[in-house]
Amino acid sequence: MTTHISLCFLFSYVTFLPLIFTTFAQSQNYIIHMNLSAMPKPLTNHHTWYQSTLSSALQNSQFTTTTNNLNSLISSKFIYTYTHVMNGFSANLSPKEHELLKTSPGYISSIPDLPVKLDTTYSPQFLGLNPNKGAWHDSNFGNDVIIGVIDTGVWPESDSFKDYGMTEVPSKWKGQCENSIHFNKSLCNKKLIGAKFFNRGLLAQNPNATLGLNSTRDTKGHGTHTSTTAAGSRVDKASFYGYANGTASGIASNSRVAMYKALWKNGASSSDVIAAIDAAISDGVDVLSLSLGLDDVPLYEEPVAIATFAAVEKGVVVATSAGNDGPVLKTLHNGTPWVITVAAGTTNRDFQGTLTLVNGNKIVGFSLYIGAFSSNNFPIVFMGLCDSVNDLKQVKSKIVVCEDKNGTSVYNQLYNLGVAQVFGAVLISNVTLTDILYKKFLASIIVNPINGEIIKDYIKSFNSKNSSSIASMSFKKTVFGTKQAPSVDSYSSRGPSKSCPYVLKPDITAPGTLILAAWPSNVLVSHLGTKEAFSSFNMISGTSMACPHVAGIAALLKGAHRDWSPAAIRSAIMTTSDIFDSTKEHIKDIDDNKDATPLALGAGHVNPNRALDPGLVYDVGVQDYVNLLCALNFTQQNITTITRSPFNDCSKPSLDLNYPSFIAFFNGGNSSKTLHEFHRTVTNVGEGKTIYTASITPIKGFSVSVIPNKLVFHEKNQKLSFKLRIEVERMAKLKEVAFGYLSWMDEKHVVRSPIVITTIKLKS
């Protein structure tokens, strides 16, 4: 009998063992997005709801029905509750458990929690760059492509400018590093191959202008940051005070950098910017990165437009920033038709602090506090709007909770909390704060209103008992893959361009929020009390940070396709971009959480690997740009200012530039049209014979058609033309901005162009 029992046990064990191993072998981590509004009313804690949801899925799975200790199993599978950037949780699930979870009430979506290799700038990884294939591999990381940067100077001692393993400087390079104050030309190397500065125009306007340092050396940090974002060498063990710890790398880490300092502490002169670009062209740069611009200036007076026309004519690709005046429409600068205008988006990397309540509840929010911090069982108090510095000083030794009621008071709260020198703070707000607004010196966490209510209820429960509520705080946590990304950030300027509204701008979106790159070691990054804080890397935000990403990608494409024109590279970047985020939904505008229109997003979010093989490109020649300038009713003098030629052929003026995007104005400005037609020519840069078929996203209120709807190519570099027609169906129901897409598709490629239809008036 005993033997029989043993044999039965052995049989059961042997039969069951493969099931256990198979289950765990197939299990993987998932990040699950949940609809918080679907949480049953009896539950007041979303963490409890998530656990209950997981429990139901496990109970219904074949394996878990044989498990006695369900609570223990839930504990082992439940990984993390997300409370700030998304509503949901992560768990380790078998395929069957995962499928069962999908049927749960409130389930929205899930994504695999793939292994993450820490990469400080992170943008290359977020953009899908891989050393073994794609744009990095095919261009050898942009090897020997020269990126010129017009900015605030450079910090040559940064490890991001090390030239270990780089080949000799290309013979085509005609530039040099110039000696200047605290900058010896010997500081340059095979990575940093040029350094010049330009301020004569500024000093001519204002002889007493404050320069910071009359030298190419960077005393602001901006130029060091942008240049290393575009082409910085790999640096191990980089971080910003423990945030984003890992390896830093520029987009085109084998490209060369030439710095042209034309931006100074007291401003910049257009003449200096033009001189800098002029020198860059003469020196032999392949790509220009300009994180600068002017607002409300006609093209013929705009230094970027004037100087970059010559650069593009010489084959130089120019990337420029869209500006940081969003989210209002028509705030974009650098609407220049011959450059790439770059908007700024977020990544799926987040920086967090945690507030732990004495009841064990952990509230996670956004934080970039850089100081050392030790908090254990400190009193926590709610102070409403925190609008009185005197009141805050009375509770400065506590963790102070503030609530933002109108979306703007949070900025004043940060100031008041800093003046009062509170021990720690929690700000309840829906406002999206970048590092531009967020004070890194303050030990604080920003939480959303849902979590804010949990904190307020917790404090109230203690107050009702006449006892002190207790909490602790911790910081410096970097989290990946925790949110809907990318999104267009609110500060990024929106189109249409005032200087040339007939060309849809911006062109493309790239990572611009909280980008980490090199920083001068003696330039402040923050304060900690009365102490100054310094770092060799810094995290900052803006379209200034997005621009060098695209400059780096242009360098990769230039390295892989030396014969492509600047317009072809721009087209490849635009038509292969992404319009869907990590949740497979259309990329959102973070300002209103609605689908981002091309006036904010451009053609989409840049995808460098797909840009390597776009299939078709929309190329543009110099005369095409001249035809556009003529159609803008510029005088010959105006046009000559840009083209540098006194003989500009205006026999065929046309606002219809051969651009990979479309914008039609209806019932706005001087236009009362009910029909718009666009003519385009595409070049087959793919291999051999192919047939492309057109697909158009319907746009409500309009009939959009393409003639012909099929393009048959017989050979590489063949050009074919088509016509796009937009006709109003119901004029009375037109939106201010409506949009869709034209996609040309063959068996391998999708060549997509945005279509914007707007009633925005051309003149305010």
Side-chain angles (χ1 to χ4, degrees):
M1 187 69 174
T2 303
T3 303
H4 177 68
I5 293 175
S6 297
L7 287 173
C8 285
F9 176 78
L10 181 60
F11 177 78
S12 299
Y13 179 79
V14 172
T15 303
F16 188 56
L17 190 61
L19 178 60
I20 297 175
F21 283 1
T22 301
T23 300
F24 281 100
Q26 294 177 346
S27 294
Q28 64 172 313
N29 294 348
Y30 290 91
I31 298 171
I32 296 98
H33 294 253
M34 301 290 288
N35 182 355
L36 202 60
S37 65
M39 184 174 70
K41 291 183 178 179
L43 296 176
T44 58
N45 186 302
H46 58 291
H47 176 78
T48 303
W49 179 45
Y50 299 154
Q51 286 192 321
S52 175
T53 301
L54 178 59
S55 174
S56 297
L58 295 178
Q59 283 179 313
N60 291 329
S61 70
Q62 179 179 349
F63 169 60
T64 56
T65 56
T66 65
T67 303
N68 295 324
N69 194 345
L70 182 60
N71 290 335
S72 176
L73 186 62
I74 294 172
S75 178
S76 67
K77 285 185 168 289
F78 200 95
I79 299 172
Y80 198 85
T81 294
Y82 301 108
T83 56
H84 173 54
V85 292
M86 63 165 275
N87 296 317
F89 63 97
S90 57
N92 181 274
L93 304 172
S94 68
K96 186 170 184 179
E97 291 163 350
H98 183 220
E99 290 303 314
L100 287 168
L101 189 70
K102 292 180 180 179
T103 64
S104 303
Y107 172 88
I108 297 176
S109 64
S110 58
I111 56 175
D113 183 15
L114 300 176
V116 175
K117 177 184 177 183
L118 290 179
D119 195 355
T120 306
T121 49
Y122 185 57
S123 314
Q125 182 179 334
F126 183 68
L127 294 172
L129 290 167
N130 187 314
N132 301 313
K133 61 181 180 180
W136 262 358
H137 175 272
D138 290 12
S139 68
N140 189 15
F141 300 86
N143 186 50
D144 280 349
V145 177
I146 302 168
I147 302 177
V149 182
I150 316 294
D151 218 298
T152 64
V154 67
W155 191 262
E157 293 86 357
S158 169
D159 287 344
S160 294
F161 292 115
K162 298 293 185 185
D163 63 355
Y164 177 78
M166 296 192 74
T167 58
E168 293 300 318
V169 177
S171 58
K172 67 175 182 177
W173 176 243
K174 307 302 179 185
Q176 60 180 325
C177 283
E178 296 177 342
N179 288 320
S180 56
I181 298 173
H182 299 305
F183 193 105
N184 190 290
K185 63 181 180 180
S186 64
L187 292 170
C188 289
N189 55 21
K190 298 173 185 176
K191 162 62 71 174
L192 179 61
I193 63 174
K196 299 178 180 179
F197 68 91
F198 304 84
N199 57 25
R200 282 184 285 178
L202 178 64
L203 291 174
Q205 291 176 331
N206 181 8
N208 298 317
T210 303
L211 299 176
L213 192 65
N214 193 27
S215 164
T216 312
R217 183 169 289 280
D218 190 2
T219 59
K220 291 178 69 70
H222 193 273
T224 300
H225 197 281
T226 56
S227 57
T228 56
T229 296
S233 300
R234 290 177 62 85
V235 180
D236 294 328
K237 298 180 180 179
S239 76
F240 178 69
Y241 284 92
Y243 291 100
N245 186 39
T247 299
S249 172
I251 297 297
S253 57
N254 272 357
S255 290
R256 322 288 176 151
V257 174
M259 174 57 66
Y260 301 86
K261 183 176 179 179
L263 308 182
W264 302 86
K265 186 174 182 179
N266 207 36
S269 167
S270 297
S271 59
D272 292 330
V273 172
I274 293 175
I277 298 173
D278 186 68
I281 296 170
S282 176
D283 291 343
V285 303
D286 299 300
V287 177
L288 270 173
S289 181
L290 289 82
S291 293
L292 53 91
L294 280 78
D295 297 320
D296 302 329
V297 179
L299 292 176
Y300 51 84
E301 293 179 0
E302 221 273 68
V304 174
I306 294 169
T308 56
F309 188 92
V312 170
E313 193 174 16
K314 295 286 187 180
V316 178
V317 185
V318 182
T320 62
S321 53
N324 298 330
D325 294 320
V328 180
L329 293 173
K330 296 197 293 185
T331 54
L332 176 142
H333 61 219
N334 290 326
T336 309
W338 39 89
V339 305
I340 308 174
T341 308
V342 188
T346 64
T347 69
N348 65 346
R349 181 177 65 181
D350 203 23
F351 306 104
Q352 298 179 345
T354 302
L355 177 75
T356 302
L357 308 179
V358 78
N359 62 8
N361 202 349
K362 294 181 181 293
I363 307 297
V364 177
F366 173 76
S367 182
L368 270 179
Y369 179 62
I370 62 177
F373 190 85
S374 177
S375 162
N376 187 22
N377 295 337
F378 256 75
I380 182 170
V381 59
F382 179 63
M383 295 295 290
L385 290 176
C386 294
D387 51 359
S388 169
V389 173
N390 289 333
D391 289 346
L392 291 175
K393 286 181 178 180
Q394 302 303 312
V395 293
K396 61 182 294 186
S397 60
K398 301 179 180 181
I399 298 173
V400 179
V401 180
C402 308
E403 187 170 31
D404 177 26
K405 287 291 188 182
N406 55 21
T408 58
S409 59
V410 65
Y411 311 127
N412 294 328
Q413 290 169 0
L414 285 166
Y415 174 79
N416 293 340
L417 291 163
V419 172
Q421 297 181 355
V422 301
F423 171 76
V426 177
L427 292 92
I428 304 170
S429 177
N430 262 332
V431 174
T432 301
L433 296 176
T434 68
D435 66 297
I436 297 172
L437 302 170
Y438 186 70
K439 305 300 182 183
K440 302 165 189 168
F441 65 81
L442 183 64
S444 57
I445 301 169
I446 300 173
V447 304
N448 62 38
I450 294 174
N451 287 321
E453 290 302 315
I454 295 173
I455 298 169
K456 287 162 61 179
D457 289 344
Y458 167 78
I459 296 172
K460 286 178 184 176
S461 68
F462 278 87
N463 291 342
S464 64
K465 301 172 186 176
N466 294 320
S467 59
S468 178
S469 49
I470 302 296
S472 62
M473 302 174 76
S474 61
F475 298 93
K476 299 186 180 179
K477 184 171 185 178
T478 302
V479 182
F480 298 87
T482 60
K483 60 183 174 183
Q484 174 181 290
S487 297
V488 181
D489 218 332
S490 57
Y491 60 80
S492 187
S493 291
R494 272 61 168 173
S497 160
K498 292 182 179 179
S499 60
C500 188
Y502 306 100
V503 176
L504 177 58
K505 292 282 180 170
D507 295 309
I508 198 74
T509 293
T513 298
L514 293 175
I515 303 302
L516 192 143
W519 195 257
S521 58
N522 70 344
V523 176
L524 280 175
V525 296
S526 187
H527 285 84
L528 288 170
T530 58
K531 295 182 179 179
E532 297 177 328
F534 300 91
S535 174
S536 57
F537 286 86
N538 196 9
M539 279 195 292
I540 53 178
S541 300
T543 56
S544 284
M545 283 61 255
C547 173
H549 281 85
V550 172
I553 291 166
L556 298 179
L557 296 183
K558 191 81 170 178
H561 300 286
R562 296 283 178 175
D563 59 331
W564 281 10
S565 70
I569 289 175
R570 176 182 59 206
S571 176
I573 289 172
M574 291 174 65
T575 62
T576 60
S577 59
D578 296 321
I579 59 171
F580 298 108
D581 61 22
S582 57
T583 67
K584 309 303 180 185
E585 298 291 331
H586 192 282
I587 291 172
K588 297 295 187 289
D589 188 324
I590 210 168
D591 182 60
D592 57 13
N593 203 37
K594 295 180 180 179
D595 291 353
T597 77
L599 294 176
L601 178 66
H605 190 276
V606 66
N607 186 319
N609 292 325
R610 280 214 296 265
L612 197 66
D613 180 21
L616 304 176
V617 296
Y618 295 74
D619 214 346
V620 183
V622 171
Q623 184 58 46
D624 298 312
Y625 292 125
V626 172
N627 292 342
L628 174 66
L629 298 176
C630 297
L632 289 172
N633 294 322
F634 287 0
T635 66
Q636 277 290 333
Q637 182 180 356
N638 296 153
I639 299 172
T640 298
T641 301
I642 298 170
T643 65
R644 308 172 323 285
S645 170
F647 307 105
N648 297 291
D649 182 2
C650 281
S651 61
K652 297 180 180 179
S654 175
L655 296 174
D656 192 13
L657 187 66
N658 195 45
Y659 217 75
S661 60
F662 305 86
I663 182 167
F665 292 88
F666 282 90
N667 195 30
N670 298 323
S671 174
S672 58
K673 290 184 178 180
T674 59
L675 172 68
H676 274 270
E677 288 190 352
F678 300 88
H679 297 82
R680 295 289 188 269
T681 299
V682 288
T683 305
N684 176 28
V685 294
E687 295 297 331
K689 300 179 180 179
T690 187
I691 299 174
Y692 281 88
T693 304
S695 173
I696 298 174
T697 305
I699 304 176
K700 188 175 181 180
F702 296 89
S703 173
V704 184
S705 59
V706 61
I707 305 170
N709 66 357
K710 188 174 289 187
L711 299 176
V712 181
F713 291 93
H714 299 287
E715 59 186 0
K716 187 175 182 178
N717 295 324
Q718 182 182 356
K719 298 178 182 292
L720 291 175
S721 299
F722 66 89
K723 178 169 63 176
L724 183 80
R725 291 171 55 95
I726 303 174
E727 190 169 5
V728 177
E729 291 178 346
R730 296 182 296 277
M731 196 67 175
K733 295 185 178 181
L734 297 186
K735 295 181 178 180
E736 184 181 44
V737 179
F739 69 97
Y741 296 93
L742 163 66
S743 297
W744 288 102
M745 297 177 289
D746 69 358
E747 293 182 355
K748 185 179 179 183
H749 306 94
V750 176
V751 187
R752 188 181 58 250
S753 296
I755 304 169
V756 168
I757 302 171
T758 179
T759 59
I760 295 174
K761 292 184 179 181
L762 295 180
K763 294 182 180 180
S764 18

